[in-house]
């Protein structure tokens, strides 16, 4: 794809900014990612991979909550204990097909009764040379040699004939074929999917021990935000409030609420009260993470005694995102600060919130994979770029509208491509971050 004029303009702006602060983003000294080094207190952003690793470590260190819930309430949570087989599966020999249970070599004499149905009691044993009708899932009569499928047989004058050779045990599901009582079916940390619910029910479970979804409270900061109608008089519509809750739920969180807080001094006090008083596992803020006159997040976190784990990330868009912890590592709560620009906020969600929430829920990190990019993609001199892309059978195709304040590109995207510093050439394989509704995010 040929770079657009807007791509060139953005690259020129980034290069100009890099000249103002030419130190490459990277290590934050010996402390937490992005905590700053010895350069006279000058802030250095964490490299993008290091920031994601820091978020995952922060979530992994928290003491997990567990509970027992009915099967119907376990969907989308994570197993807190092994799922062991409570019985053999199947628990008795069953027929794999509709047809005939036969004993010995044919032809067979058809037993004059109603046959054996699924769910019926123990059937009468078969005599040698005898056959009885049987349904799929029905208990196999004692002394049965095989099940003969209906379509492979013919009946004439009370006798049953096979149209093809019959082998001992064919189309019989033996007891314990899938598992024996006590076998490990799934380890702790497995996501409870619809298939897991079915397996648990088949194995005899009525409830499961799970780790509940992490609870997240969303705080949308800003005086310029409208909740309805057209933008006017310097006011803009709040795009993040409607977007973040559903997005977080797709990432596996339980969103406890979304609140809007102003930028004035009263808003700063309200933010402090919200951050320190929230019962959520994670407080997620939007805006106010930079160093402007009404950017209150950093001062509020200092007043709250929070520990900054990530303070800025070398990624575009989304550079001024942050991750902080309130309390000790094992039982503390976390604050994820997202930039206020919509696409920059999306970058923060996938950089910090996603790995943090997965770790808090006890889920494995997302598998990494790449795809070749179609067309050259410009890059920042030092920072990673996250670019919305559509995925085809062969390529990741960059989308045009990828500015920090734009949602048009991400709304049409399947994923974000991770573009290294200095950009990527056409055909170069880039890491791909699937969007949760495309990759099949957590069940809700």
């Amino acid at each position: 794809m040929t770079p657009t004029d807007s791509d060139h303009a953005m690259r020129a702006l980034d290069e100009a900014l890099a000249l103002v602060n030419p130190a490459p983003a990277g290590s934050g000294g010996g402390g937490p990612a992005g905590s700053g080094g010895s350069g006279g207190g000058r802030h250095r952003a964490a490299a993008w991979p290091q920031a994601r690793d820091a978020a995952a470590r922060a979530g992994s260190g928290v003491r997990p909550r567990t509970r027992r819930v009915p099967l119907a309430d376990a969907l989308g949570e994570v197993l807190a204990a092994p799922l062991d087989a409570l019985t053999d599966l199947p628990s008795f020999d069953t027929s794999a097909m509709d047809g005939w249970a036969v004993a010995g070599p044919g032809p067979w004499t058809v037993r004059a009764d109603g046959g054996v149905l699924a769910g019926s009691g123990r059937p009468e044993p078969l005599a040698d040379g005898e056959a009885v009708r049987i349904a799929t899932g029905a208990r196999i009569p004692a002394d049965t040699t095989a099940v003969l499928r209906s379509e492979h047989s013919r009946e004439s004058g009370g006798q049953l004939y096979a149209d093809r050779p019959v082998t001992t045990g064919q189309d019989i599901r033996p007891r314990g074929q899938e598992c024996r009582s006590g076998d490990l079916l799934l380890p702790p940390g497995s996501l409870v999917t619809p298939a897991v619910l079915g397996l648990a029910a088949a194995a005899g479970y009525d409830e499961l021990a799970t780790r509940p979804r992490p609870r997240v409270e969303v705080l949308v900061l800003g005086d310029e935000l409208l909740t309805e109608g057209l933008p006017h008089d310097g006011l803009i519509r709040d795009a993040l409030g409607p977007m973040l809750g559903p997005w977080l739920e797709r990432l596996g969180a339980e969103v406890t609420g979304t609140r809007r807080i102003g930028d004035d001094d009263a808003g700063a006090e309200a933010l402090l009260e919200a951050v320190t008083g929230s019962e959520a596992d994670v407080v997620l803020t939007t805006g106010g993470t930079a160093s402007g006159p009404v950017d209150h997040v950093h001062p509020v976190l200092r007043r709250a005694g929070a520990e900054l784990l990530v303070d800025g990330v070398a990624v575009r868009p989304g550079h001024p995102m942050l991750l902080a912890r309130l309390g000790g590592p094992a039982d503390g709560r976390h604050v994820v600060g997202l930039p206020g620009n919509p696409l920059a906020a999306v970058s923060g969600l996938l950089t910090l919130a996603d790995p943090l929430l997965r770790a808090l829920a006890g889920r494995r990190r997302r598998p990494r994979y790449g795809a070749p990019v179609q067309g050259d993609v410009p890059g920042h001199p030092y920072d990673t770029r996250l670019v919305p892309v559509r995925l085809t059978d062969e390529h990741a195709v960059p989308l045009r509208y990828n500015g920090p304040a734009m949602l048009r590109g991400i709304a049409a995207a399947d994923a974000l491509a991770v573009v290294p510093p200095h950009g990527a050439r056409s055909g170069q394989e880039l890491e791909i971050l699937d969007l949760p509704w495309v990759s099949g995010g957590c069940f809700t």
Side-chain angles (χ1 to χ4, degrees), residues 3-376:
T4 64
D5 292 341
S6 61
D7 289 327
H8 288 303
M10 183 181 69
R11 185 174 186 179
L13 176 60
D14 284 339
E15 290 174 347
L17 291 173
L19 292 174
V20 176
N21 182 16
S27 66
S35 61
S38 58
R42 183 173 60 184
H43 166 70
R44 287 187 175 185
W48 182 78
Q50 294 173 355
R52 286 173 60 79
D53 289 344
R57 287 196 304 272
S60 299
V62 174
R63 185 181 296 109
R65 295 182 292 125
T66 62
R67 62 178 184 171
R68 296 196 68 84
V69 293
L71 291 185
D73 297 332
L75 186 65
E77 298 190 353
V78 168
L79 293 179
L83 188 72
D84 294 328
L86 302 180
T87 183
D88 296 345
L89 286 181
S91 55
F92 47 82
D93 294 349
T94 62
S95 175
M97 293 289 171
D98 292 332
W100 302 86
V102 300
W108 302 271
T109 300
V110 175
R111 194 161 75 187
D113 60 24
V116 186
L117 301 178
S120 60
R122 186 184 299 274
E124 292 294 323
L126 283 178
D128 192 41
E130 193 174 34
V132 66
R133 280 199 175 276
I134 193 165
T136 301
R139 186 192 295 259
I140 295 292
D143 301 322
T144 295
T145 301
V147 169
L148 180 60
R149 302 184 185 190
S150 298
E151 61 268 26
H152 297 164
S153 63
R154 53 189 171 84
E155 184 182 1
S156 177
Q159 293 291 108
L160 180 70
Y161 300 89
D163 292 338
R164 59 185 62 188
V166 177
T167 59
T168 300
Q170 75 178 31
D171 288 327
I172 293 175
R173 295 192 184 110
R175 176 173 181 162
Q177 181 185 53
E178 185 170 3
C179 64
R180 290 292 185 180
S181 180
D183 283 354
L184 175 65
L185 301 178
L186 290 170
S190 299
L191 179 66
V192 180
T193 65
V196 171
L197 292 180
L199 176 62
Y205 283 85
D206 298 318
E207 60 181 19
L208 295 173
T210 64
R211 293 178 63 166
R213 300 167 183 260
R215 299 163 299 188
V216 180
E217 183 174 10
V218 178
L219 306 177
V220 179
L221 312 182
D223 290 331
E224 76 280 16
L225 303 177
L226 297 169
T227 58
E228 60 183 13
L230 293 174
H232 62 87
D233 300 328
L235 302 178
I236 61 173
R237 280 293 297 270
D238 172 22
L240 294 179
M243 179 177 74
L244 290 177
W247 198 311
L248 289 163
E249 288 173 353
R250 293 294 290 183
L251 292 179
E254 175 192 348
V255 179
T256 62
T258 298
R259 287 194 274 167
R260 291 173 174 82
I261 294 177
D263 284 332
D264 56 8
D265 291 343
E269 294 303 317
L271 178 60
L272 177 64
E273 181 180 351
V275 165
T276 57
S278 177
E279 296 183 355
D281 303 299
V282 177
V283 174
L284 186 139
T285 66
T286 71
T289 55
S291 303
V294 293
D295 289 334
H296 296 306
V297 174
H298 281 91
V300 162
L301 291 177
R302 285 194 294 270
R303 290 173 63 189
E307 178 187 2
L308 278 172
L309 305 178
V310 176
D311 188 11
V313 179
V315 67
R316 306 299 171 115
H319 185 276
M321 65 180 77
L322 63 82
L323 171 65
R325 179 168 57 215
L326 295 165
D331 55 2
R333 296 180 298 108
H334 290 86
V335 178
V336 174
L338 304 181
N341 277 323
L343 188 57
V346 169
S347 174
L349 277 176
L350 296 182
T351 301
L352 297 179
D354 182 24
L356 174 68
L357 292 172
R358 291 182 75 88
L360 287 173
R363 298 175 64 187
R364 296 183 294 273
R365 296 189 69 170
R366 293 188 187 276
R368 295 179 61 179
Y369 79 97
V373 67
Q374 180 177 300
D376 295 346

Side-chain angles (χ1 to χ4, degrees), residues 1-3 7 10-11 372-380 385-389 396-399 402 417-428 430:
M1 186 180 85
T2 302
D7 289 327
M10 183 181 69
R11 185 174 186 179
V373 67
Q374 180 177 300
D376 295 346
V377 185
H380 186 272
R385 281 189 69 204
L386 300 183
V387 177
V389 293
V397 182
L399 300 175
N402 52 38
V418 182
V419 180
H422 306 296
R425 304 297 295 175
S426 183
Q428 180 176 337
L430 300 179

